[in-house]
């Protein structure tokens, strides 16, 4: 891969020129097929098979999408019908999505970690008629609940491993669907073009269900017009083109990866690389070496933690060189943030720092070619943004919601302000409600409403079209917005002090030993915290210090581990006033993963759920003697 996109920190913020010509089209399939015609044999998608990366051209991708779309038509999927996809992020996910849309259907994504009961609810609520599943494991979920889904007619399986002898009239493989589509396409000339043209901009295109932290998930409805509007403005906000390498690994059910990753790459022509599976992300990012890299804060925190631990294990000389190099990078970062010229002497020292240490750190993470890192979907520590900036890569924090189709505010690479979420993106109105402090948003990208829930829709979108985001924030004279917290999460202590828990939580997560934390204290005499430790790093600490443990729970109970986390909390407490300091903490003794109810799909602890589930543990921090 070429290194032509690698840039120095002081010029990394210079945006690329926009694509010479926008891709025309008023619906998402119209844009996709225009892009296929324009780009032909250029590479669009890449996946790793049997240890080798294999590229898919735009022409080849279009051929597969057409076969699947006509296969869906052959099975009876009519324009406006809903089809769901239950799978991890993989190349076939996007093929199925584009095929459903090209056939005139509506796509709904289901998280692969969802249980069969959740699949049943989402399929019934969305009126799913056809279901794509990844493999045997996901097929089992579908078969378990299909009797309760009278509208479901067919199930298509991406990976048939272990199912070679399986036979069911409702189930067929993706390969069989494509074969059926080829035959149907030949027998029905002109039908495919009719299907692509059947959708109007105002028609429903996709459903994106919220995580359901407060009751049943709600299906956010997005139109073709909203998708195309968001797609175009995302690429205008962060210009990219066919020379860029992107990486797709977050859940495509989530609007962030769908829009900022898949659809933005589709529009700009960037090469979209799919990771092998969720467990190989760290390895794959080093192989792909993306030029633009979007991830959630949990991923950026994990990379930082890995480097921090690696440095602790290095020799004294290596630690000295790293600290010196990072210090030089910090000086350059200060100049960039102040929008001041970087002196020639400092540039020379930075080149040396990069050659001695910073370049190796970037290669270790896999961001050595990155000209921009993107972060969103959850708050992130400004210190963490500055650390990446000191490595020579600007990290741009944006803000949006499922209901705003992943378009909201965007940080300008040439005018970064860590601690803010940037300015309103082009074509987006954002303002602060003077009465409540809530951030309101308006524009053509705002969703059509919640499926089957008109009352919740009316509560969320005003008659004037303003989306009530539920986030509380401020805006400065230059138009930079800052989120203080979710309206429902602001803590008011027994003493009447208003506390923003996310600020404390972000500082705690900056520790390599803490993965996540929930600060407690509403109507309480003081603040406390439930902490989820970073298993890998804490286990390494325990081994290095000969702390005995037999499993995860015993690790969290070890006195030395308790003292380690206590020291990290004290480090954070020093940055806050006494009334804002954490007085008690408890470590969650259960190792949590993506399939656990305590975590959202973007790996954030669900505050309300955690507070209810661990109510007894929380009360122990406020009982006599703490």
């Amino acid at each position: 891969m070429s290194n032509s996109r690698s840039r120095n920190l002081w010029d990394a913020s210079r945006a690329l020129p926009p694509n010479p010509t926008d891709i025309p089209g008023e619906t998402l399939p119209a844009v996709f097929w225009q892009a296929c015609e324009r780009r032909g044999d250029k590479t669009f998608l890449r996946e790793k098979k049997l240890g080798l990366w294999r590229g898919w051209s735009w022409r080849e991708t279009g051929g597969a999408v057409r076969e699947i779309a006509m296969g869906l038509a052959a099975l009876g999927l009519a324009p406006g019908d809903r089809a769901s996809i239950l799978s991890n992020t993989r190349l076939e996910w996007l093929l199925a999505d584009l095929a459903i849309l090209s056939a005139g259907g509506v796509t709904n994504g289901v998280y692969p970690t969802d249980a069969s009961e959740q699949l049943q609810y989402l399929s019934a609520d969305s009126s799913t008629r056809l279901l794509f599943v990844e493999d045997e494991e996901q097929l089992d979920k579908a078969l378990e609940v299909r009797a309760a889904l009278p509208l479901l007619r067919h199930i298509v399986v991406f990976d048939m491993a272990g199912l070679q002898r399986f036979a069911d009239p409702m189930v067929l493989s993706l390969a069989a669907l494509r074969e059926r589509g080829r035959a149907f396409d030949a027998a029905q000339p002109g039908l495919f073009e009719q299907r692509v043209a059947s959708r109007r901009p105002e028609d429903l295109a996709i459903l994106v269900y919220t995580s359901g932290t407060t009751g049943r998930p709600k299906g956010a409805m997005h139109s073709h017009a909203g998708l195309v509007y968001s797609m175009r403005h995302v690429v205008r906000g962060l210009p990219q083109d066919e020379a860029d390498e992107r990486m797709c690994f977050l859940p495509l059910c989530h609007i962030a990866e769908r829009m900022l990753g898949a659809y933005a790459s589709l529009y700009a022509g960037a090469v979209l690389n799919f990771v092998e599976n969720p467990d190989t992300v760290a390895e794959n990012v080093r192989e792909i070496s993306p030029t633009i890299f979007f991830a959630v804060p949990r991923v950026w925190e994990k990379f930082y933690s890995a480097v921090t631990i690696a440095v602790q294990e290095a020799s004294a000389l290596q630690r000295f060189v790293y600290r010196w190099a990072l210090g030089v990078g910090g000086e350059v970062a200060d100049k960039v943030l102040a929008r001041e010229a970087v002196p020639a002497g400092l540039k020379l020292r930075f080149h040396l720092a990069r050659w001695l240490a910073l370049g190796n750190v970037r290669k270790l993470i896999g961001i050595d070619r990155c000209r921009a890192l993107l972060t969103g979907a959850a708050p992130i520590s400004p210190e963490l943004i500055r650390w990446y900036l000191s490595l020579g890569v600007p990290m741009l924090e944006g803000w949006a919601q499922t209901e705003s189709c992943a378009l909201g505010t965007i940080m300008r690479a040439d005018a970064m302000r860590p601690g803010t979420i940037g300015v309103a993106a082009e074509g987006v109105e954002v303002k602060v409600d003077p009465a409540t402090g809530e951030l309101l948003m308006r524009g053509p990208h705002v969703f059509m409403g919640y499926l089957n829930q008109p009352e919740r829709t009316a509560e969320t979108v005003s008659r004037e079209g303003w989306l009530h985001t539920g986030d509380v924030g401020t805006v400065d004279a230059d138009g930079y917005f800052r989120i203080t917290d979710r309206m429902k999460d602001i803590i008011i202590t027994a003493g009447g002090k208003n506390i923003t828990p996310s600020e404390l939580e972000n500082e705690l997560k900056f520790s390599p030993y803490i993965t996540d934390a929930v600060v407690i204290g509403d109507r309480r005499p003081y603040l406390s915290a439930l902490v989820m430790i970073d298993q890998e790093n804490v286990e390494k600490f325990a081994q290095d210090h000969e702390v005995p443990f037999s499993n995860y729970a015993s690790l969290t109970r070890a006195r030395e581990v308790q003292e380690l986390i206590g020291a990290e909390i004290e480090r954070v407490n020093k940055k806050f006033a006494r009334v804002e300091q954490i007085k008690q903490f408890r470590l969650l003794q259960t190792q949590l993963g993506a399939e656990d109810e305590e975590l959202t799909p973007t790996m954030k602890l669900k505050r309300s759920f955690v507070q209810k589930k661990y109510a007894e543990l929380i009360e122990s921090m406020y009982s006599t003697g703490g």
Side-chain angles (χ1 to χ4, degrees):
M1 296 179 184
S2 168
N3 287 319
S4 61
R5 292 305 177 114
S6 180
R7 295 171 176 230
N8 292 316
L9 176 54
W10 50 85
D11 66 7
S13 60
R14 296 176 188 167
L16 291 174
N19 288 333
T21 307
D22 285 342
I23 304 295
E26 295 183 307
T27 66
L28 198 138
V31 172
F32 170 66
W33 289 104
Q34 286 284 346
C36 286
E37 182 176 348
R38 175 180 298 184
R39 296 173 181 141
D41 293 324
K42 294 179 180 179
T43 300
F44 176 30
L45 309 176
R46 292 176 77 239
E47 62 176 342
K48 194 173 184 182
K49 292 286 189 181
L50 301 176
L52 297 175
W53 285 95
R54 183 228 167 178
W56 286 59
S57 70
W58 284 87
R59 194 181 313 281
E60 184 180 6
T61 303
V65 168
R66 178 167 182 146
E67 289 174 358
I68 298 170
M70 291 304 285
L72 296 176
L75 293 178
L77 189 80
D81 283 350
R82 287 79 185 271
S84 294
I85 306 173
L86 172 62
S87 170
N88 282 292
T89 295
R90 54 189 292 164
L91 187 144
E92 291 87 351
W93 205 112
L94 184 57
L95 296 181
D97 179 32
L98 294 172
I100 294 166
L101 296 173
S102 295
V106 175
T107 303
N108 172 52
V110 183
Y111 288 99
T113 53
D114 282 351
S116 55
E117 294 80 6
Q118 189 81 327
L119 171 63
Q120 177 182 334
Y121 168 77
L122 296 176
S123 298
D125 190 64
S126 62
S127 301
T128 289
R129 294 182 177 275
L130 187 140
L131 174 66
F132 287 92
V133 298
E134 181 176 13
D135 52 21
E136 183 177 10
E137 177 187 356
Q138 305 297 356
L139 176 61
D140 286 341
K141 296 179 186 177
L143 295 179
E144 184 178 340
V145 299
R146 64 174 170 177
L149 299 172
L151 292 180
L152 183 63
R153 293 288 183 265
H154 302 281
I155 303 172
V156 180
V157 184
F158 293 153
D159 184 354
M160 292 293 289
L163 296 170
Q164 290 83 356
R165 298 184 179 181
F166 176 81
D168 187 296
M170 183 183 281
V171 181
L172 72 161
S173 68
L174 181 64
L177 179 67
R178 291 182 61 177
E179 183 178 352
R180 183 174 298 196
R182 285 193 296 272
F184 192 69
D185 197 8
Q188 301 285 335
L191 178 61
F192 176 75
E193 289 74 17
Q194 293 175 21
R195 285 299 187 94
V196 171
S198 68
R199 297 294 85 193
R200 297 167 299 176
E202 63 271 21
D203 286 336
L204 176 63
I206 67 172
L207 293 168
V208 181
Y209 278 84
T210 63
S211 57
T213 56
T214 54
R216 287 288 197 180
K218 304 182 294 294
M221 299 185 290
H222 288 288
S223 68
H224 284 278
L227 291 177
V228 172
Y229 189 88
S230 292
M231 184 168 56
R232 288 194 169 121
H233 284 79
V234 163
V235 175
R236 288 176 188 173
L238 184 69
Q240 51 200 282
D241 60 24
E242 296 169 9
D244 277 301
E245 294 275 351
R246 303 293 308 275
M247 191 173 87
C248 195
F249 71 102
L250 296 170
L252 280 167
C253 303
H254 196 279
I255 192 63
E257 185 68 279
R258 190 83 152 278
M259 179 56 67
L260 302 179
Y263 290 169
S265 297
L266 184 159
Y267 189 74
V271 178
L272 187 63
N273 297 268
F274 287 83
V275 300
E276 296 172 83
N277 59 66
D279 298 325
T280 62
V281 171
E283 173 189 342
N284 291 155
V285 68
R286 289 191 290 269
E287 296 173 329
I288 295 165
S289 190
T291 58
I292 298 174
F293 187 3
F294 168 71
V296 295
R298 175 68 65 85
V299 174
W300 301 126
E301 292 157 2
K302 192 70 176 176
F303 287 153
Y304 165 78
S305 297
V307 171
T308 301
I309 297 301
V311 170
Q312 291 176 1
E313 297 174 350
S315 67
L317 177 60
Q318 289 172 321
R319 291 197 298 271
F320 172 80
V321 171
Y322 170 77
R323 286 194 296 269
W324 174 82
L326 196 63
V328 173
E331 291 183 52
V332 177
D334 288 340
K335 293 290 185 182
V336 171
L337 292 175
R339 304 185 71 177
E340 298 175 357
V342 180
L346 182 53
K347 287 184 179 181
L348 288 175
R349 284 195 291 137
F350 182 78
H351 279 300
L352 180 60
R354 183 167 178 176
W355 180 73
L356 288 173
L358 302 184
N360 291 332
V361 173
R362 288 169 59 159
K363 289 178 181 177
L364 175 66
I365 298 173
I367 59 173
D368 51 303
R369 292 200 307 152
C370 270
R371 71 172 190 279
L373 308 175
L374 312 181
T375 184
I380 192 168
S381 167
E383 289 185 38
L384 191 59
I385 292 177
R386 191 179 183 280
W387 182 79
Y388 280 99
L389 194 58
S390 298
L391 295 182
V393 191
M395 175 174 282
L396 311 179
E397 183 175 7
W399 167 79
Q401 295 187 322
T402 297
E403 292 82 356
S404 72
C405 206
L407 182 65
T409 66
I410 190 167
M411 184 70 68
R412 288 178 52 192
D414 60 349
M416 294 178 59
R417 294 191 187 181
T420 76
I421 54 172
V423 299
E426 178 187 348
V428 177
E429 292 182 80
V430 182
K431 69 177 183 179
V432 179
D433 188 322
T436 63
E438 182 183 13
L439 296 185
L440 307 179
M441 193 187 314
R442 184 166 67 178
H445 61 299
V446 171
F447 76 144
M448 302 167 67
Y450 295 118
L451 180 67
N452 304 324
Q453 298 193 44
E455 297 84 4
R456 297 300 300 271
T457 300
E459 294 171 1
T460 306
V461 183
S462 71
R463 292 182 179 179
E464 296 77 26
W466 288 103
L467 172 66
H468 286 257
T469 67
D471 285 325
V472 176
T474 60
V475 61
D476 64 21
D478 297 321
Y480 282 78
F481 289 87
R482 184 187 304 271
I483 291 180
T484 53
D485 222 316
R486 294 288 292 171
M487 292 185 69
K488 62 184 179 182
D489 292 340
I490 291 178
I491 291 173
I492 303 177
T493 66
K497 175 66 177 178
N498 282 31
I499 303 291
T500 301
S502 61
E503 292 184 19
L504 282 157
E505 292 161 358
N506 286 338
E507 291 289 345
L508 291 172
K509 290 188 289 182
F510 194 57
S511 164
Y513 302 111
I514 297 175
T515 293
D516 210 345
V518 172
V519 173
I520 313 294
D522 197 44
R523 298 186 298 276
R524 304 277 192 173
Y526 53 82
L527 299 184
S528 63
L530 295 177
V531 176
M532 184 165 65
I533 63 172
D534 185 294
Q535 181 188 8
E536 183 178 349
N537 291 342
V538 174
E539 281 185 354
K540 183 68 170 57
F541 167 85
Q543 292 163 357
D544 291 345
H545 293 80
E546 299 182 348
V547 178
F549 67 94
S550 58
N551 54 30
Y552 185 85
S554 67
L555 182 68
T556 63
R557 290 193 295 265
R559 176 182 57 81
E560 294 86 348
V561 171
Q562 294 275 339
E563 292 174 351
L564 172 69
I565 302 303
E568 294 296 296
I569 290 176
E570 283 307 306
R571 174 185 60 80
V572 170
N573 277 341
K574 292 178 181 178
K575 300 181 180 182
F576 294 87
R578 285 187 60 84
V579 70
E580 298 173 317
Q581 294 180 357
I582 296 169
K583 300 295 191 290
Q584 293 285 336
F585 73 93
R586 296 289 186 270
L587 303 185
L588 297 181
Q589 296 186 10
T590 303
Q591 183 180 358
L592 301 176
E595 68 282 353
D596 291 295
E597 291 182 298
E598 289 94 325
L599 295 177
T600 70
T602 51
M603 302 302 287
K604 296 178 293 184
L605 279 171
K606 298 178 182 177
R607 186 182 304 276
S608 59
F609 187 91
V610 166
Q611 288 180 336
K612 290 178 182 178
K613 182 169 183 177
Y614 299 99
E616 186 175 341
L617 189 61
I618 292 171
E619 289 303 322
S620 74
M621 294 188 283
Y622 294 96
S623 60
T624 303

